[in-house]
Amino acid sequence: VPVLKKKTVKTAVALSGAPEGFADRYLDITPEKIEIAGPADVVDSMDELTVATLDVARIAESTELTFALVPGENILDVNGVGSVSVEVDYSKVKNGTFTISDIRLEGVESLGRYEASVETKSLENVTVYAASSLFGSLKDSNLYAVATLDATMAGAGQKIVTARVYSTKGDLVWAVGEYAVLVNITQK
């Protein structure tokens, strides 16, 4: 009969589109820790258990989300917690709409013998969120969008590419919504 090793690990969520420091300022995960059991080699390699992925571009207001706790193959939720609650607190956040004219491309080198240029002149009505302390100083000129290209886009023609929004004013700025730009790809 195999003996399982027990360990207390932190619960966590993976974030997409979130600025640095977002989790510490705007998320509260309950329970913060859980006890797991499993084969020693697996349990020893775990410091946290990621229960879900949150895309902050889809979260427009304070909310509470519940996720089933699925520890993984051969891992047991010792106390039968079963679910994890994630509270997103935007009480210290402001938002507004901006126009972004600075649109940048990343990954152009991955296109090989092709080059790329942005056809979209600006992104209008971009909903931007920021820490309340920073929001008042935020202007259109502080924001830029980045469209990331990859090798699968190689080939002449126009492509619609998802763009992420960033700020030159600080880390705690993010966009809510989906934004895309038209990119023209031509042979060098």
Side-chain angles (χ1 to χ4, degrees), residues 96-171:
T97 57
F98 293 83
T99 297
I100 299 176
S101 299
D102 182 358
I103 302 172
R104 306 173 187 183
L105 293 175
E106 282 186 352
V108 175
E109 68 283 351
S110 70
L111 299 177
R113 58 187 182 156
Y114 294 91
E115 57 191 7
S117 61
V118 178
E119 293 294 316
T120 302
K121 300 300 179 209
S122 64
L123 293 172
E124 307 283 335
N125 298 312
V126 176
T127 303
V128 174
Y129 285 63
S132 297
S133 59
L134 175 65
F135 192 82
S137 65
L138 204 55
K139 297 177 179 30
D140 292 346
S141 60
N142 301 128
L143 302 169
Y144 63 96
V146 176
T148 303
L149 306 174
D150 63 46
T152 65
M153 297 174 184
Q158 292 185 320
K159 311 277 190 223
I160 297 172
V161 182
T162 300
R164 286 271 187 203
V165 175
Y166 299 94
S167 171
T168 60
K169 288 292 281 185
D171 291 335

Side-chain angles (χ1 to χ4, degrees), residues 1-149:
V1 175
V3 176
L4 300 179
K5 181 171 184 174
K6 289 183 183 178
K7 182 177 183 180
T8 299
V9 296
K10 180 180 171 186
T11 54
V13 293
L15 295 171
S16 172
E20 186 83 28
F22 182 92
D24 293 334
R25 286 187 75 158
Y26 305 118
L27 294 184
D28 184 29
I29 302 172
T30 306
E32 289 182 23
K33 296 180 179 183
I34 64 159
E35 187 174 20
I36 60 170
D41 60 330
V42 175
V43 170
D44 285 342
S45 69
M46 295 177 68
D47 291 319
E48 67 180 27
L49 179 63
T50 301
V51 297
T53 298
L54 292 181
D55 183 353
V56 300
R58 298 183 182 278
I59 302 173
E61 61 189 9
S62 294
T63 188
E64 188 168 330
L65 306 164
T66 301
F67 300 99
L69 183 59
V70 183
E73 192 174 332
N74 296 324
I75 299 294
L76 175 68
D77 170 5
V78 173
N79 297 313
V81 173
S83 65
V84 173
S85 172
V86 179
E87 182 181 345
V88 181
D89 180 9
Y90 280 0
S91 63
K92 295 179 182 169
V93 170
K94 290 187 178 179
N95 70 73
T97 57
F98 293 83
T99 297
I100 299 176
S101 299
D102 182 358
I103 302 172
R104 306 173 187 183
L105 293 175
E106 282 186 352
V108 175
E109 68 283 351
S110 70
L111 299 177
R113 58 187 182 156
Y114 294 91
E115 57 191 7
S117 61
V118 178
E119 293 294 316
T120 302
K121 300 300 179 209
S122 64
L123 293 172
E124 307 283 335
N125 298 312
V126 176
T127 303
V128 174
Y129 285 63
S132 297
S133 59
L134 175 65
F135 192 82
S137 65
L138 204 55
K139 297 177 179 30
D140 292 346
S141 60
N142 301 128
L143 302 169
Y144 63 96
V146 176
T148 303
L149 306 174

